[in-house]
Amino acid sequence: MNTHINDALQALLEIPEGERDADVHIMIAALATTLAQYGLADSALIAVAASQPDHPELKRERAKWLLEVGHVAACIDFCKLTLLETPQDVVLTTILMDGLFFDDNFEEVAQTYAHFSGIRSLEMAVIATRGMIRLEQPRRAIEILDSHLNIDAVMPDAHYLRAQLAFFENDIDRAITHLERACTLLPTFLDAVNQLIHSYLELDQWDKAIPWIAQMIERNPLDPEQHLRLAVAYEGLSQIDKALMSIDKAIALDPDSVELHCAKIGFWVRSGNVKEAMAPLKALVDSKTKNPIVFQMLGVAFQYQNRWENSIKALKKALELGGEDPIIYGTMATAYLALGQNQLAKESFQSAAKAGGGEDFALAASQIVIQSL
């Protein structure tokens, strides 16, 4: 995108200075500010002020310039003064709210949004929403954004922000809808794309995740995380050969990653090839690694062989090494159940729930209590 902006700027700069009118200088200032060429933008704005001081875009571009170069307090004062003359200027009001937000003055952001009720825009609503979030008022944030945003809006940032609020509400479907819209509008919006992929994988929507992962790999083929994600999606579709090919690519990119080697071992274990998995697992253990994931995976592998005591020993080692995954406790509980040690199984499920494992583990612990009555 910046390439196109730079091309446009160069085309304007080819116009001889004596032939540039105020409109040309304004366009130069706007493009130069976007490209962080602040000296050039400043010179262009000075030229406009000299030739046409009442140009309608001059004060807006000067306000943008002040904000971009980091003169936040000057920008705020400039906008407030100018808005006394043109109180219905949406652009200046939006820049003022941006400045107040950057100045961490969230209360005044909210007050400004409330004051200019007659000229509110989606851009203003997004800033006000962010202010409300910083003021820890998420419900009010949702009200403000929902009063302006519909699914057809062409502002990726607004859809991404609404997705975050939907996650807060635990409305996953709505979150994904807005993430999909943000990514469709701006496929290079990497935060949104990564979160969309993560959401698809969490919901086992493997076929939806794959095209977006493929785009990320095309953008950066040297990112092992995306190859791992692709492997997870292919495994979900039972395309094991493709999954292993993808994880092998990830490992080739980061051969020292214990996590990636454990991920490959996990594929072998889950596909029933425990014997294939044990040799690389033993090699990792023999390497004196302090990574808890190795022992967590070892505990899982032992369970596939019905070696319950060995599994518990490995999982306890994972916890000793600082493992925090609630699944460690859940896996340990499964081993205790297989050994008929229900009290220890219940305690492990409870530990899993406390470690952030959610309601499923708490319900599993309750089920053990019910069965023992």
Side-chain angles (χ1 to χ4, degrees), residues 180-330:
E180 288 173 337
R181 179 63 174 155
C183 295
T184 301
L185 288 168
L186 187 60
T188 56
F189 193 164
L190 300 187
D191 286 345
V193 174
N194 275 315
Q195 194 170 51
L196 180 61
I197 292 170
H198 177 78
S199 300
Y200 283 148
L201 295 178
E202 285 287 302
L203 295 172
D204 298 348
Q205 295 181 3
W206 319 114
D207 53 339
K208 289 185 176 180
I210 286 173
W212 288 105
I213 300 171
Q215 283 190 33
M216 295 293 282
I217 290 175
E218 184 178 357
R219 187 171 291 115
N220 181 10
L222 302 180
D223 183 355
E225 180 185 353
Q226 300 303 337
H227 289 283
L228 175 60
R229 284 174 151 187
L230 191 58
V232 170
Y234 279 135
E235 184 190 16
L237 294 171
S238 299
Q239 299 180 24
I240 303 303
D241 288 344
K242 287 186 176 180
L244 288 171
M245 189 181 302
S246 294
I247 190 63
D248 282 342
K249 287 181 180 177
I251 291 172
L253 291 167
D254 190 2
D256 295 328
S257 171
V258 172
E259 288 80 2
L260 290 176
H261 286 286
C262 282
K264 184 174 182 179
I265 291 166
F267 288 139
W268 286 122
V269 170
R270 289 188 294 274
S271 61
N273 296 317
V274 181
K275 187 176 179 181
E276 191 87 32
M278 291 308 290
L281 254 179
K282 185 177 183 303
L284 286 172
V285 172
D286 291 345
S287 72
K288 308 297 184 184
T289 178
K290 300 295 184 183
N291 193 318
I293 294 176
V294 172
F295 294 92
Q296 180 179 346
M297 186 56 61
L298 183 62
V300 172
F302 280 140
Q303 290 200 9
Y304 274 81
Q305 296 177 321
N306 296 327
R307 297 166 63 182
W308 307 110
E309 279 120 351
N310 294 85
S311 174
I312 290 168
K313 183 179 178 181
L315 294 167
K316 284 183 175 179
K317 181 67 174 179
L319 293 173
E320 287 174 16
L321 292 172
E324 299 177 345
D325 189 341
I327 293 175
I328 297 174
Y329 292 105

Side-chain angles (χ1 to χ4, degrees), residues 76 79-80 83 87 89-90 92-98 100-101 105-120 124 127-128 132:
I76 292 170
C79 287
K80 286 181 177 180
L83 283 167
D89 194 314
V90 176
L92 276 171
T93 306
T94 304
I95 297 170
L96 170 60
M97 291 179 66
D98 255 337
L100 293 168
F101 185 87
N105 197 337
F106 309 121
E107 289 283 1
E108 195 169 350
V109 168
Q111 292 167 8
T112 303
Y113 175 78
H115 178 74
F116 290 96
S117 58
I119 58 169
R120 289 174 185 164
M124 291 170 63
I127 302 167
M132 285 299 172

Side-chain angles (χ1 to χ4, degrees), residues 7 17 34 55 96 120 122 130 133 160 305 317 326 335 355 364:
D7 289 344
E17 281 203 37
T34 301
H55 193 288
L96 170 60
R120 289 174 185 164
L122 178 56
R130 288 176 174 149
I133 291 171
Y160 181 72
Q305 296 177 321
K317 181 67 174 179

Side-chain angles (χ1 to χ4, degrees), residues 29-96:
L31 295 172
T33 298
T34 301
L35 294 171
Q37 297 183 26
Y38 302 125
L40 176 59
D42 186 36
S43 298
L45 291 172
I46 291 171
V48 177
S51 63
Q52 192 179 337
D54 59 347
H55 193 288
E57 294 297 323
L58 175 58
K59 291 183 178 179
R60 294 172 180 170
E61 290 302 327
R62 178 54 78 185
K64 290 178 188 176
W65 182 88
L66 286 168
L67 187 60
E68 288 295 326
V69 298
H71 299 328
V72 178
C75 173
I76 292 170
D77 292 342
F78 180 82
C79 287
K80 286 181 177 180
L81 185 62
T82 307
L83 283 167
L84 293 175
E85 305 168 10
T86 54
Q88 300 300 308
D89 194 314
V90 176
V91 175
L92 276 171
T93 306
T94 304
I95 297 170
L96 170 60

Side-chain angles (χ1 to χ4, degrees), residues 120-127 145 148-150 153-155 158:
R120 289 174 185 164
S121 65
L122 178 56
E123 289 80 2
M124 291 170 63
V126 165
I127 302 167
L145 193 54
H148 292 271
L149 181 65
N150 60 63
V154 292
M155 187 177 178

Side-chain angles (χ1 to χ4, degrees), residues 139-151:
R139 299 297 176 191
R140 179 61 181 141
I142 291 168
E143 290 175 9
I144 290 173
L145 193 54
D146 282 353
S147 68
H148 292 271
L149 181 65
N150 60 63
I151 199 59

